[in-house]
Amino acid sequence: MRKFFRAGLVALCCGLCLLTWQPLNAQSQLSIEQIMQGPDFVGYLPTDVHWSDNGESILFSWNPESLPEEDYYQYNLTTGVTEKVDNPRVMSFADRGSYNSYRSAKVFASHGDLFLWNETSDSLYQLTNTVDRESQPFFLHDDQRITYIRDDNIYIWDQQTGFTKQITQFVDGNEPDEKKLDDQQQWLEDDQLELFDILRERKEDREFREKKDQAENPDRPRKIYIGKDRLSDQKLSPDGKFVTYELVTSESNNKRTMVPDFVTESGYLDELNARPKVGSASSKSSYWIYDVDRDTNYQVTFNGLPGIYDKPDYYRFYHRDSLAYVDTFETPREVMMHAPVYNEDGSLTVVVIRSSDNKDRWIMSLNLDDGDLTLIDRQSDTAWVGGPGIGGFNGSAGNIGWLGDNETLYFQSEETGFSHVYTYHVPTKTRKQLTDGAWEVLDVSLTPEKDAFYVHASREGPFENHFYLLDLDGSMEKITSAPGKHEVKVSPNGEQLAILHSYANRPTELYLKANQSGAPLVRITESTTEDFMAYEWRDPEIIHFTARDGVEVPARIYRPEESKSNGAGIIFVHGAGYLHNVHKWWSSYYREYMFHNFLTDMGYTVLDIDYRASAGYGRDWRTAIYRFMGGQDLDDQVDGARYLVEQEGLDADRLGIYGGSYGGFITLMALCTAPGTFKCGAALRSVTDWAHYNHGYTSNILNTPVTDSIAFRRSSPIYHAEGLEGELVMLHGMVDTNVQFQDVVRMSQRFIELGKDHWELAVFPMEGHGFVEPSSWADEYKRIYQLFEEQLTE
């Protein structure tokens, strides 16, 4: 019999009512309290790796002493010594800032000030120390002048003369109207000046002084009035001749959500300002060019973009019986244009433009003289444009840049169904695909010579991530070989690699390797604790099961020893939807990985599925949930349950499911729409109604509630609450500004009104979407484990 009150809100507060229940037949070296300590149990792993500018050191964030905050450490390649950095603020990282064309100097911003590094003397100079914040510095093409932004305006500093010049003068508000007299007023003024000599003389004196002052005044940039708009993305061209900028107009009725914070230092309730909901009125942007020499500005327009008037395909679904339906809008769709990508001398300019509905991405050549746009590449998707190196949201321009010839552009596209690398030679308008196959290029960057690429890719299969050298003829050389994941930073001279490497049961450590195939990995850090290393962590097998539509679905399986199996199975549903968790490297869900080891010790079989919508498997897998979350993604969980019964011999009446965020949503959909599949489920920080989630993520997949209400209703658990079967525990942080606490409260009220039993709610008053406190993690997972023990064991 369950110990908690059923069918109501039960406040189970972390730190106030921690469970002390322990399994009667514990058979694991691990405890939930232990593994939920997180890095205090596993160890603090290295992150945020950089090379020093001279290539003699590797810098990284680390916390081997378990302090309240990480510090920067430095590994010296010559001495092999690792030591803490005293003042990382003034350190120059090789991948931060802007080099000149000879890579002999670099400028960067840190904490609002500008710094200049000189290669010859290996010296660092601080250029500014101001209350105002300087940012985004880079060398202009002449290598002598440096441009930067201060107080939203663009400046140029000349290294040789020390002269600083302001290029723009953006001003809030509207330009004052020039006062013009009407006929009556003009007649009176003329009459006054005719009658009175002193008035006439004073006017002449005033006009003389004004003309003299104007002649003596220094040359200032013209005021550009921006009204009530917000200035964004201002950028100077490499030749210093043009400024591009964005003006953002906010909607006055764009209501934001508020999240109450109950447990505060003051003792008073605080309200956290959070996000709008999907479909809320969004801001609109206009894009402008300021010609510095001509002292004039003009707007970039998008009416000529191919397909800009096209309606998304789903509109037809709501008008399928209408003969009068037309598939174009009367006005162009809203777009977002990203800051220009210039070649080295500024002679060629491209921009990435994305439609606000994310059905289109255009790469366009931009003529700065008149704002005209010419098409280079268009990627359209009936669902939404996305994929590695492309970006799944309008806020990302993706990977794009220029080769060393200053005429050839490179970018990534999902045109073939998988993200690959393309080049486009502007003068000849020649487009070339460099990589191809049923695998993904995860990231691409230029070599120091800008005549080849460094690529992270899944060419060996979706379960490993390796580093390659990609030539312009499409040939690829695999540089890394160890199984798992490699996050690589190349030294400034291209000869050495700093690598964060991990394997499924071995956490991430920092390694050094020569930039050539077959070179050994040299380990730099030792981060894991003795307690962590004392346990023999499983290397889960990667299997495939056949879904109802014939597709082979990948999963990781944790099997107990046959003699210890209790015949029960658990399915774990990872979060985010578009996330990769079936692989051979250390999981971002490392607490869950350790929990699965604990569950397996206790006799459970655990299945961890990369269901439809997961990352790593191309466009069709990514968009399989379009207009129906809780469709194919849930089918994969149900088919995974069938696999556990038919192939692993588990008891069909003793299956559970759990997950957080998107995984919590799927858990709710499973218990409400797939009756009889799971006896119980734990839903953590779950979306219960997609109409109450954010716009960027949700509108990609479900469009908006007003334009596609069917998609929202069939995808939201709150509309299926009447179908609840099985035991349900919902767990949620009360200061969650992502999936807000309101979601689970509304779901609870729905259950109450429907008279549903067999559900519970545990709340965590001081936790957000990602829990922080080990006590909260432990409380949460002890409740999940108790649910499984009571419902799934005989």
Side-chain angles (χ1 to χ4, degrees), residues 95 116 158 226 284 329 333 411 425 593 643 657 679:
D95 55 355
L116 180 67
D158 191 306
I226 64 174
K284 293 179 173 58
F329 294 109
R333 286 177 287 157
F411 58 92
H425 186 247
Y593 164 78
Y643 164 84
I657 185 171
K679 190 175 182 183

Side-chain angles (χ1 to χ4, degrees), residues 228-232 246-254 280-288 299 302 331-337 356:
K228 295 181 180 179
D229 293 342
R230 176 173 56 84
L231 182 67
S232 179
E246 174 187 1
L247 295 180
V248 182
T249 304
S250 299
E251 291 290 335
S252 57
N253 61 342
N254 189 7
S280 298
S282 58
S283 59
K284 293 179 173 58
S285 294
S286 59
Y287 300 88
W288 298 79
Q299 187 174 354
F302 307 104
T331 57
R333 286 177 287 157
E334 294 290 331
V335 299
M336 171 182 287
M337 185 179 88
S356 293

Side-chain angles (χ1 to χ4, degrees), residues 423-491:
T423 60
Y424 182 87
H425 186 247
V426 175
T428 61
K429 299 183 179 180
T430 304
R431 184 173 181 268
K432 181 180 180 181
Q433 182 176 350
L434 297 187
T435 59
D436 191 18
W439 50 274
E440 294 183 315
V441 173
L442 305 171
D443 195 19
V444 60
S445 60
L446 286 170
T447 62
E449 297 77 20
K450 297 186 177 181
D451 58 357
F453 300 97
Y454 294 130
V455 166
H456 289 84
S458 60
R459 195 173 70 160
E460 313 301 312
F463 313 127
E464 293 194 28
N465 178 337
H466 284 280
F467 182 73
Y468 302 82
L469 177 66
L470 169 65
D471 286 327
L472 294 180
D473 61 4
S475 61
M476 293 179 69
E477 179 186 3
K478 183 182 175 186
I479 306 299
T480 55
S481 58
K485 182 177 184 180
H486 303 78
E487 299 174 66
V488 178
K489 288 292 181 73
V490 183
S491 64

